[in-house]
Amino acid sequence: MGTTHHEAGTLWMGAPGQSVTDSFGKFYHLANAYVAGPALFPVTGSANPSLTATTLARRSAEAIVSSRTAAPDLAFKPLFTGARQGWQMAGGGDFLTIFGSILEARPDGLGLLWYTRQIFRNFVLKVGWLSFNPTTNITGSRADNSGALIRFPALNASDPGNDRKLASDKGYEIQIDDMGFNVDTGQTSARCIRPGPSMGWHRHRRSHRNPPVSGIAFEIEATDATISVTLNGQLVSTYLIQANDGGRREGHIGLQCHTGNVQFRNVMIRSLPDPGIPMA
């Protein structure tokens, strides 16, 4: 280790009563404060001290994430588990996989990443998402715009530039867009569920999306002719499909990339029984 040392600190890690922090750098007397760096050691060797500090910081970060990651709900099936098997891109843009658990939209025109392996009829879909730029005052710029689409037919990969349109025309979009931008009219308003163009829009209250840059959770329940959306645990929209409007009762699920680098994680689904079929 050499004959010299680098000054470190007095926030030593170790056993309770004998140190200030635990083995992950968390203060014993504080609920949510960590130390990440060479201050955890009274002294450190002269060889590669920066690598030691970086390793400690990564270790503390992993401990923080682990302590705040909820145990998986076994009733839900994860649709994205770090690899994109079963997912296919239609339209423009693409999605980047980050840390093996996050999908980040990289728009280049309007596009859709859709799950090809299964058609869903009645279900509860959980989608966690993060928007970095929900509003913008920059001339010529657009705020983040994305969404989760449900109940659309399979998209033919023979025309990738236009295939995504079938999902918008035949399915239902649960908007991620604080500005509520409608590409058909060029107008902005606060709306949540966007069915196909013949069905109009259904409003929700944008005030529930607060603070604007944070982790948000959708819980989308589709049961026969009813689609309801819960935002961070609060019901914000319920849409009733009319009997004669041609609305689909089953289909695929997809994530949209439109504008901005919206991120998705914890995409999970739980199938529900068909209300028209009596339970045994």
Side-chain angles (χ1 to χ4, degrees):
M1 295 296 291
T3 57
T4 61
H5 69 273
H6 287 266
E7 296 296 335
T10 57
L11 304 177
W12 310 329
M13 61 181 180
Q18 300 176 359
S19 60
V20 181
T21 62
D22 66 14
S23 60
F24 293 102
K26 180 184 176 298
F27 285 104
Y28 281 113
H29 64 292
L30 296 174
N32 190 29
Y34 288 75
V35 179
L40 295 170
F41 290 142
V43 294
T44 185
S46 60
N48 299 325
S50 296
L51 295 181
T52 300
T54 301
T55 300
L56 286 171
R58 289 175 62 92
R59 189 168 180 269
S60 295
E62 290 172 356
I64 292 169
V65 171
S66 178
S67 68
R68 285 158 177 77
T69 300
D73 187 337
L74 298 181
F76 282 79
K77 167 190 173 182
L79 296 184
F80 175 73
T81 57
R84 279 175 48 173
Q85 285 89 351
W87 292 85
Q88 183 173 306
M89 196 67 205
D94 205 346
F95 279 80
L96 178 68
T97 301
I98 303 175
F99 302 133
S101 61
I102 298 171
L103 286 166
E104 179 175 286
R106 294 298 176 94
D108 182 12
L110 199 56
L112 183 72
L113 183 67
W114 64 289
Y115 190 69
T116 65
R117 289 183 172 176
Q118 190 171 350
I119 289 175
F120 300 97
R121 182 173 176 84
N122 299 305
F123 57 85
V124 177
L125 175 68
K126 289 184 178 181
V127 180
W129 55 273
L130 177 65
S131 171
F132 296 92
N133 183 33
T135 61
T136 182
N137 294 318
I138 302 174
T139 302
S141 297
R142 285 276 306 279
D144 290 343
N145 188 324
S146 187
L149 283 88
I150 63 173
R151 286 183 167 179
F152 57 86
L155 309 181
N156 189 336
S158 62
D159 185 11
N162 295 303
D163 288 343
R164 57 92 190 163
K165 294 181 180 179
L166 188 62
S168 299
D169 293 343
K170 301 296 184 180
Y172 300 86
E173 178 184 356
I174 292 80
Q175 275 277 55
I176 297 174
D177 179 11
D178 273 16
M179 305 304 292
F181 184 77
N182 185 341
V183 294
D184 298 319
T185 65
Q187 302 297 313
T188 59
S189 58
R191 288 146 177 157
C192 188
I193 300 178
R194 183 186 188 231
S198 64
M199 301 178 188
W201 292 74
H202 188 68
R203 294 182 177 274
H204 85 297
R205 291 166 289 173
R206 190 172 57 188
S207 60
H208 293 303
R209 165 82 161 86
N210 186 33
V213 182
S214 60
I216 309 296
F218 270 154
E219 188 166 308
I220 303 160
E221 181 171 337
T223 306
D224 195 34
T226 303
I227 300 173
S228 61
V229 180
T230 299
L231 183 67
N232 282 355
Q234 185 165 358
L235 180 67
V236 293
S237 289
T238 299
Y239 182 79
L240 300 178
I241 304 173
Q242 302 302 311
N244 59 351
D245 62 14
R248 295 177 59 86
R249 300 297 199 272
E250 63 180 21
H252 292 275
I253 286 169
L255 305 174
Q256 185 190 72
C257 63
H258 192 170
T259 60
N261 301 124
V262 177
Q263 294 182 347
F264 297 90
R265 65 177 302 181
N266 298 329
V267 183
M268 301 181 293
I269 197 163
R270 175 168 64 92
S271 293
L272 299 175
D274 191 323
I277 301 177
M279 298 293 290

